[in-house]
């Protein structure tokens, strides 16, 4: 971990989802799960500066590496992913931090990584969603993005179970789903919100990412923490592409 080029207060401007096991990196902040051996959530503040390419930054120089700030008891390693069939999926996307080699390198710590389906998700639909977040940051000048794994129940018969796979010698949990919540202050004064949940499985190319928009409180219920709770519901002028009838313009 290194000193952020943004202030912690700026990245976490709209509230911490949780306060346990928080780790601060260059331009992203996360909370780590010792049980699941991966991130609980990762928060980023995307600006033109972050996401615009610095020609001296080279992704090929960034290497996946374990995070020494995590106790060896709860750490995951590259060997856990080897032969698992899953990609090492970034939660803070490397392409969100192309302004600095150091910032990009930090996204390759395994504390920012979850086992993610490659074909049809990490290499396509999830990438499309990451591009959507950057596009919204450019449109509105900046955006705050919270990303994380979910372990959602399935119904078998008349009963509900939470079932997920473990990989590697260190039992790294494979999420059933992933979420991404994007908020931005609009030029008209209110906030826009888009909140997505995607299953950790191959998604057909013809399915638009808008199909995975869900209410923010559904993510909060599944994740077990509040998201951007410093923003009141009445401050959102646009929620998942629809005008918010409860929006109160405080200008």
């Amino acid at each position: 971990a290194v000193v952020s080029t943004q202030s912690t207060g700026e990245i976490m401007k709209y509230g911490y989802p949780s306060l346990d096991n928080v780790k601060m990196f260059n331009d992203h902040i996360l909370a780590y799960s010792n049980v699941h051996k991966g991130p609980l959530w990762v928060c980023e503040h995307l600006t033109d500066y972050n996401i615009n390419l610095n020609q001296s930054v080279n992704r090929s120089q960034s290497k996946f590496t374990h995070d020494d700030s995590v106790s060896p008891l709860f750490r995951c390693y590259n060997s856990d992913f080897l032969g698992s069939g899953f990609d090492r999926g970034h939660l803070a996307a490397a392409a969100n931090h192309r302004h600095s080699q150091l910032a990009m390198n930090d996204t390759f710590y395994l504390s920012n990584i979850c086992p993610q389906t490659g074909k049809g998700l990490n290499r396509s639909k999830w990438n499309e969603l990451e591009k959507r977040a950057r596009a919204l940051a450019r449109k509105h000048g900046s955006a705050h993005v919270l990303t994380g794994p979910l372990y959602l129940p399935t119904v078998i018969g008349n009963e509900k179970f939470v079932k997920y796979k473990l990989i590697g010698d260190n039992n790294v949990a494979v999420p059933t789903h992933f979420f991404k919540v994007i908020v931005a202050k609009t030029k008209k004064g209110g906030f826009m919100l888009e909140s997505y949940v995607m299953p950790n499985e191959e998604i057909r190319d013809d399915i638009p990412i808008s199909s995975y928009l869900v209410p923010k409180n559904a993510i909060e219920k599944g994740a077990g923490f509040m998201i951007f709770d410093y923003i009141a519901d009445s401050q959102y002028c646009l929620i998942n592409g629809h005008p918010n009838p409860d929006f109160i313009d405080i200008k």
Side-chain angles (χ1 to χ4, degrees):
V2 298
V3 177
S4 175
T5 57
Q6 296 190 69
S7 71
T8 299
E10 185 55 50
I11 297 172
M12 304 309 300
K13 183 175 183 177
Y14 301 123
Y16 283 79
S18 61
L19 293 173
D20 190 37
N21 233 355
V22 171
K23 300 184 180 299
M24 299 180 186
F25 290 88
N26 198 69
D27 293 334
H28 74 274
I29 295 174
L30 62 83
Y32 188 81
S33 170
N34 290 339
V35 174
H36 293 137
K37 314 297 192 302
L40 281 173
W41 53 261
V42 180
C43 193
E44 304 166 88
H45 178 222
L46 304 187
T47 67
D48 281 340
Y49 176 72
N50 294 69
I51 59 184
N52 286 336
L53 178 62
N54 177 337
Q55 293 297 331
S56 69
V57 175
N58 187 342
R59 182 182 172 123
S60 67
Q61 293 180 10
S62 300
K63 306 297 181 186
F64 289 103
T65 185
H66 64 267
D67 187 342
D68 282 332
S69 75
V70 176
S71 164
L73 281 174
F74 311 122
R75 197 180 293 164
C76 67
Y77 295 85
N78 283 315
S79 58
D80 291 310
F81 292 84
L82 188 64
S84 69
F86 291 95
D87 283 4
R88 290 166 292 190
H90 290 75
L91 295 198
N96 289 351
H97 303 280
R98 301 189 298 175
H99 64 289
S100 154
Q101 190 68 53
L102 190 58
M104 179 171 283
N105 290 351
D106 270 0
T107 69
F108 281 78
Y109 280 110
L110 294 181
S111 53
N112 177 51
I113 301 297
C114 282
Q116 195 169 48
T117 298
K119 182 182 178 183
L121 189 63
N122 185 40
R123 303 170 211 162
S124 54
K125 284 298 167 184
W126 189 253
N127 183 47
E128 191 177 328
L129 181 54
E130 291 171 338
K131 290 178 179 177
R132 173 64 178 168
R134 291 192 289 274
L136 288 169
R138 289 188 177 101
K139 178 179 179 180
H140 297 289
S142 72
H144 283 78
V145 183
L146 195 85
T147 308
L150 291 169
Y151 302 86
L152 299 181
T154 56
V155 178
I156 301 176
N158 294 321
E159 297 180 300
K160 293 181 181 179
F161 296 87
V162 175
K163 299 177 68 175
Y164 54 88
K165 188 174 182 177
L166 302 174
I167 62 170
D169 292 338
N170 294 292
N171 293 327
V172 180
V174 179
T176 63
H177 297 74
F178 292 95
F179 73 83
K180 189 178 292 290
V181 181
I182 307 158
V183 299
K185 188 82 174 286
T186 71
K187 292 178 173 62
K188 293 183 179 180
F191 290 86
M192 58 74 56
L193 166 90
E194 290 186 6
S195 47
Y196 298 82
V197 170
M198 288 186 174
N200 193 6
E201 61 189 37
E202 184 175 351
I203 297 173
R204 296 198 323 266
D205 285 340
D206 62 331
I207 300 177
I209 61 171
S210 58
S211 300
Y212 298 98
L213 287 165
V214 301
K216 178 170 73 77
N217 63 7
I219 299 174
E220 293 170 329
K221 186 174 182 180
F225 47 71
M226 304 298 287
I227 297 173
F228 299 133
D229 60 330
Y230 287 6
I231 305 173
D233 289 346
S234 61
Q235 290 179 271
Y236 291 110
C237 58
L238 201 63
I239 299 176
N240 289 343
H242 300 288
N244 178 15
D246 299 321
F247 171 61
I248 299 174
D249 190 345
I250 59 174
K251 289 192 298 180

